[in-house]
Amino acid sequence: MTPLQTRKLWRMGAGYLIAFTLWYLSVKWLPLAAFARLPDPVTVLKEWFAPEPAYGISIFTGAYYKHIIASTLRAFAAFILAVALGVPAGILMGWSSTFHDYAAALIGLLRPIPPLAWVPLAILLLPAAEVAVVYVTFLVAFFATTLNTLVGVKAIDPDYLRAARCLGANRRDLLRDIIVPGALPQIFTGLQIAMGAAWFSLAAGEMIAAQYGLGFLIMDAYNLIQYPTIVIAMVTLGILGFLSSAGIRLLGDRLMRWRSGAMGLHR
Amino acid sequence: MNDVLHQGALSIRQAGKIYDPAGAAVVALEDCSAEIRAGEFVAIVGPSGCGKSTLLNAIAGFDRLTSGEILLDGVTLASPGTEPRPGPQRVVVFQHGALFPWMTVLENVIYGPTRQRVLGADAARAKALDMLRRCGGLDTAGQRYPGQLSSGMQRRVEIVRALMNEPKVLLLDEPFRAMDTVSKSAMHRHLLDIHALYPKTVLFITHDLEEALFLADTVYVMTTRPGRMKTMLRVNLARPRTLDMLVSHEYLELKRQVVAGVHEEAQKAFERGERELA
Ligand SMILES: Nc1ncnc2c1ncn2[C@@H]1O[C@H](COP(=O)(O)OP(=O)(O)OP(=O)(O)O)[C@@H](O)[C@H]1O
Ligand SMILES: [Mg+2]
């Protein structure tokens, strides 16, 4: 590790330490009733790692993993669906101006509707609450993927297309060799945003319409006055969101090795 | 004589191009004519916005002419009634460079022959490495990505990528415009060497009169918009060209002959720009 990386690591550690200290102090010392009800970090950590937790949720309980798996499956189902539909939709919109005209107006209207506003309709329309939660999660991820893909296709330098046509590429070649790789950086930006948005609306959807999952756990623990469990579920959501974003970034870096270690294009 | 030398004669006959004829009707080219022999190195000099890229786009098959026609070896390439269709007979090297950044140098260079299915991947790779090596030892950079190369290397690789298709005509649209004087001079050397190795018809577009005289067999000076050929000049300097020719009597004499014409057109273009802005 270089000295620079070491220093960065130290600072990140120090950041956590400061945040935890502030949290601890505000719960323990601040003369505010609102803060006094919060669990302090030590209590949360003890509960989280307790073989026999007071409120039933810790890393040693099966229920904890049941909630994690439920949320993860929902997030990934929604995300994969969003990518499978959103990337082709974005490419098609960038590729065909006819399709763009059809789709752009519709998306422009649907996108600003907050995902949670869909929940009642989704429950009414869809066969199961499970599907409704995934649908709401899918929706935001889909818009993020589609629009970023579209921006990526539009941003491709037309000289690349001209050059490829000079070199004998047909329309299919252009799509495979120029459009897709050329839009890939922007597509991956979209995927990262989509993943973040998926977790975001998933937790909200689960609070309203699910029987298990981390969002449900937060709401359930709130109703049962199990405050440390709330924090455990929140932190777990944070970790899962971080890990899935990191995974996408890693995959992107692997697929776009041409972008690393570059001196830049001289254009 | 090499057979290739008999291919690539370009005949530009009263070419005209009006952009947006129903609206603003920008006349970019008008009555633009030139006869370019096979294997000739032609430079086209003209002020900014005079229609140089428009002419090149018509030859390349990116855009349609609105009048006149352009023939390559007697076959109509561009005319108002001809569907523009780019292809490997005339390959463009772009002003801002257009190597595909997501492909390695080698993948870029074999792209043409493999997409056209004239060569298999192995044969194309062998040919590419050979050409890259001849063109200044670029073969060692085969596995690199364009973004890892210097600007000069990127341009040379792009020229090799074009030559891999055995084009009849090589179209260069101000490929060295953004370069500093030293790199530019090195690139002139490379381009001349490459042209000696692979004597294709070259159409080299530039702003830079000295560059044009140093590189070309024939220099055309274009008028300000609408672009026409104003002057044609044969450059009878021996080949290989050397740097001391830049101060030779013949070179300076040629320069004297055209410098006034170029300046006059540049001045007109400048004044029109001021008027249009005002
Ligand atoms: N698609 C277009 N629609 C309308 N006008 C255009 C279009 N393309 C170019 N023009 C105009 O036609 C004229 C010639 O353009 P062109 O690009 O051929 O000039 P150029 O000689 O290559 O200039 P430069 O040296 O700046 O590259 C310019 O005035 C330009 O503004
Ligand atoms: Mg131009």
Short mmCIF file of all heavy atoms in Angstrom, two decimals, chain B residues 12 56 75 93 108 110-111 144 170 249:
data_model
loop_
_atom_site.label_atom_id
_atom_site.label_comp_id
_atom_site.label_asym_id
_atom_site.label_seq_id
_atom_site.Cartn_x
_atom_site.Cartn_y
_atom_site.Cartn_z
N ILE B 12 -13.32 15.48 -59.92
CA ILE B 12 -14.36 16.28 -59.25
C ILE B 12 -14.88 17.27 -60.27
O ILE B 12 -14.12 18.11 -60.77
CB ILE B 12 -13.77 17.01 -58.03
CG1 ILE B 12 -13.15 16.00 -57.06
CG2 ILE B 12 -14.83 17.85 -57.32
CD1 ILE B 12 -12.25 16.62 -56.02
N LEU B 56 -14.85 16.67 -48.77
CA LEU B 56 -14.34 15.38 -48.32
C LEU B 56 -15.49 14.43 -47.95
O LEU B 56 -15.45 13.24 -48.26
CB LEU B 56 -13.41 15.61 -47.13
CG LEU B 56 -12.70 14.38 -46.62
CD1 LEU B 56 -11.20 14.62 -46.66
CD2 LEU B 56 -13.13 14.05 -45.22
N VAL B 75 -15.92 5.79 -62.29
CA VAL B 75 -17.21 5.37 -61.75
C VAL B 75 -17.77 6.48 -60.86
O VAL B 75 -17.05 7.01 -60.02
CB VAL B 75 -17.06 4.08 -60.92
CG1 VAL B 75 -18.40 3.65 -60.35
CG2 VAL B 75 -16.43 2.98 -61.75
N VAL B 93 -9.26 9.66 -42.46
CA VAL B 93 -8.59 9.84 -41.17
C VAL B 93 -9.10 11.17 -40.63
O VAL B 93 -8.97 12.19 -41.28
CB VAL B 93 -7.06 9.85 -41.32
CG1 VAL B 93 -6.39 10.18 -40.00
CG2 VAL B 93 -6.59 8.50 -41.84
N ASN B 108 -8.24 -2.43 -33.61
CA ASN B 108 -8.60 -1.31 -34.47
C ASN B 108 -8.10 -1.54 -35.89
O ASN B 108 -8.84 -1.36 -36.86
CB ASN B 108 -7.98 -0.02 -33.94
CG ASN B 108 -8.93 0.79 -33.09
OD1 ASN B 108 -9.84 1.41 -33.61
ND2 ASN B 108 -8.72 0.76 -31.79
N ILE B 110 -7.18 -4.28 -37.49
CA ILE B 110 -7.74 -5.39 -38.29
C ILE B 110 -9.24 -5.23 -38.50
O ILE B 110 -9.87 -6.06 -39.15
CB ILE B 110 -7.47 -6.78 -37.65
CG1 ILE B 110 -8.20 -6.92 -36.32
CG2 ILE B 110 -5.99 -7.03 -37.51
CD1 ILE B 110 -8.15 -8.33 -35.76
N TYR B 111 -9.83 -4.15 -37.96
CA TYR B 111 -11.29 -4.03 -38.02
C TYR B 111 -11.81 -4.06 -39.46
O TYR B 111 -12.75 -4.80 -39.76
CB TYR B 111 -11.75 -2.75 -37.32
CG TYR B 111 -13.26 -2.67 -37.18
CD1 TYR B 111 -13.89 -3.35 -36.16
CD2 TYR B 111 -14.03 -1.96 -38.09
CE1 TYR B 111 -15.28 -3.32 -36.04
CE2 TYR B 111 -15.42 -1.92 -37.96
CZ TYR B 111 -16.02 -2.60 -36.94
OH TYR B 111 -17.39 -2.57 -36.83
N ARG B 144 -1.85 -2.35 -26.81
CA ARG B 144 -2.25 -1.19 -26.01
C ARG B 144 -3.59 -0.65 -26.49
O ARG B 144 -4.01 -0.91 -27.61
CB ARG B 144 -1.22 -0.08 -26.17
CG ARG B 144 0.17 -0.52 -25.80
CD ARG B 144 0.58 0.04 -24.48
NE ARG B 144 2.02 0.29 -24.49
CZ ARG B 144 2.55 1.50 -24.57
NH1 ARG B 144 1.79 2.56 -24.65
NH2 ARG B 144 3.84 1.63 -24.56
N LEU B 170 -6.89 7.90 -49.88
CA LEU B 170 -6.80 8.16 -48.44
C LEU B 170 -7.22 9.62 -48.23
O LEU B 170 -6.65 10.52 -48.84
CB LEU B 170 -5.34 7.96 -48.02
CG LEU B 170 -5.04 7.74 -46.55
CD1 LEU B 170 -5.79 6.54 -46.02
CD2 LEU B 170 -3.54 7.54 -46.38
N HIS B 249 15.16 27.72 -52.60
CA HIS B 249 14.67 28.78 -53.47
C HIS B 249 13.33 28.41 -54.09
O HIS B 249 12.38 29.20 -54.10
CB HIS B 249 15.71 29.07 -54.56
CG HIS B 249 15.31 30.19 -55.46
ND1 HIS B 249 15.34 31.50 -55.03
CD2 HIS B 249 14.84 30.19 -56.72
CE1 HIS B 249 14.91 32.26 -56.01
NE2 HIS B 249 14.60 31.50 -57.05
#
